[in-house]
């Protein structure tokens, strides 16, 4: 058998210290995981009352839900891209822009599909602002010769709101 020297024993921490450090590290990781999960504190009166196992279980369910949502959105994206690919082959591509308005209560979502040659995003933004809405976010995604825009807006003055029927009428006039 090989004997260790006393200098090796002094530098190597004992098992008790190693285990304590591991537990502290795991506790920190669990706390960080719990802080990344939204609405965890709404399910229990206090975060301290939720066990680490419950936090991990909730995180697992949350990640699974996010994966399912991503898959659903990917399928929806493929369907939209496929239907637009078919419509442009049938000569419907000249009917751009395509505008859809969704009233979400306190906010409005405008989905705009335009061509590369003529971009209507400026006109849509002006219409929303003129009708009392404030653009909160806007994103776009190019697919082939089309650009998909999504605009989220909310009323500048919540008591007054936004007349969505008037906004819809003005957006329909963009096609003409």
């Amino acid at each position: 058998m090989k004997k260790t020297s006393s200098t090796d024993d002094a530098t190597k921490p004992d098992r008790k210290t190693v285990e304590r450090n591991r537990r502290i590290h795991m506790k920190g990781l669990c706390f960080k995981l719990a802080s990344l999960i939204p609405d965890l504190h709404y399910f229990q009166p206090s975060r301290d009352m939720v066990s680490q196992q419950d936090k991990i279980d909730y995180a697992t369910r949350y990640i699974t839900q996010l994966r399912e949502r991503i898959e659903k959105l990917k399928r929806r994206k493929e369907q939209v891209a496929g239907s637009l690919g078919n419509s442009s082959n049938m000569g419907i591509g000249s009917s751009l822009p395509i505008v859809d308005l969704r009233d979400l209560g306190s906010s409005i979502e405008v989905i705009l599909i335009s061509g590369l040659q003529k971009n209507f995003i400026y006109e849509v933004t002006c219409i929303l602002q003129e009708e009392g809405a404030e653009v909160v976010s806007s994103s776009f995604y190019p697919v082939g010769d089309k650009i998909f825009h999504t605009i989220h807006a909310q009323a500048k003055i919540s008591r007054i709101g936004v007349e969505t029927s008037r906004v819809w009428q003005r957006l329909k006039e963009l096609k003409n």
Side-chain angles (χ1 to χ4, degrees), residues 9-25:
D9 291 339
T11 60
K12 185 177 177 184
D14 61 340
R15 287 193 324 198
K16 187 177 179 181
T17 306
V18 170
E19 178 62 19
R20 183 179 60 214
N21 290 340
R22 186 192 69 79
R23 286 176 182 246
I24 290 170
H25 180 69

Side-chain angles (χ1 to χ4, degrees), residues 103-171:
D103 186 357
L104 304 173
S106 63
S107 63
I108 298 172
E109 180 182 58
V110 178
I111 298 175
L112 169 70
I113 304 171
S114 66
L116 295 175
Q117 294 79 18
K118 178 70 174 150
N119 193 347
F120 293 91
I121 192 71
Y122 178 75
E123 288 87 350
V124 171
T125 305
C126 287
I127 289 171
L128 288 170
Q129 289 177 347
E130 289 168 3
E131 295 299 327
E134 180 179 27
V135 175
V136 177
S137 68
S138 176
S139 62
F140 70 95
Y141 182 76
V143 176
D145 61 345
K146 295 170 186 60
I147 301 176
F148 292 77
H149 298 274
T150 304
I151 304 162
H152 293 276
Q154 62 185 17
K156 288 180 186 175
I157 303 171
S158 60
R159 288 180 297 144
I160 298 173
V162 178
E163 180 76 33
T164 55
S165 61
R166 184 165 160 80
V167 172
W168 175 244
Q169 185 63 35
R170 290 189 63 191
L171 289 175

Side-chain angles (χ1 to χ4, degrees), residues 26-124:
M26 290 302 292
K27 186 176 181 180
L29 291 175
C30 287
F31 179 76
K32 185 176 180 180
L33 176 66
S35 69
L36 295 173
I37 305 300
D39 300 332
L40 181 61
H41 59 280
Y42 291 121
F43 293 105
Q44 296 290 333
S46 169
R47 282 186 178 254
D48 297 332
M49 296 181 74
V50 179
S51 70
Q52 282 188 355
Q53 183 62 43
D54 291 340
K55 291 176 186 177
I56 292 171
D57 289 343
Y58 185 76
T60 304
R61 287 193 304 271
Y62 180 70
I63 291 169
T64 304
Q65 288 173 353
L66 287 177
R67 283 184 181 154
E68 290 171 355
R69 184 170 178 221
I70 288 170
E71 290 301 318
K72 180 181 174 184
L73 290 172
K74 282 181 182 178
R75 287 192 302 269
R76 184 173 161 199
K77 176 182 160 187
E78 289 170 359
Q79 287 176 341
V80 169
S83 67
L84 284 177
N86 293 340
S87 66
S88 65
N89 292 337
M90 298 182 331
I92 302 175
S94 62
S95 66
L96 292 177
I98 299 171
V99 181
D100 186 26
L101 176 74
R102 295 183 184 154
D103 186 357
L104 304 173
S106 63
S107 63
I108 298 172
E109 180 182 58
V110 178
I111 298 175
L112 169 70
I113 304 171
S114 66
L116 295 175
Q117 294 79 18
K118 178 70 174 150
N119 193 347
F120 293 91
I121 192 71
Y122 178 75
E123 288 87 350
V124 171

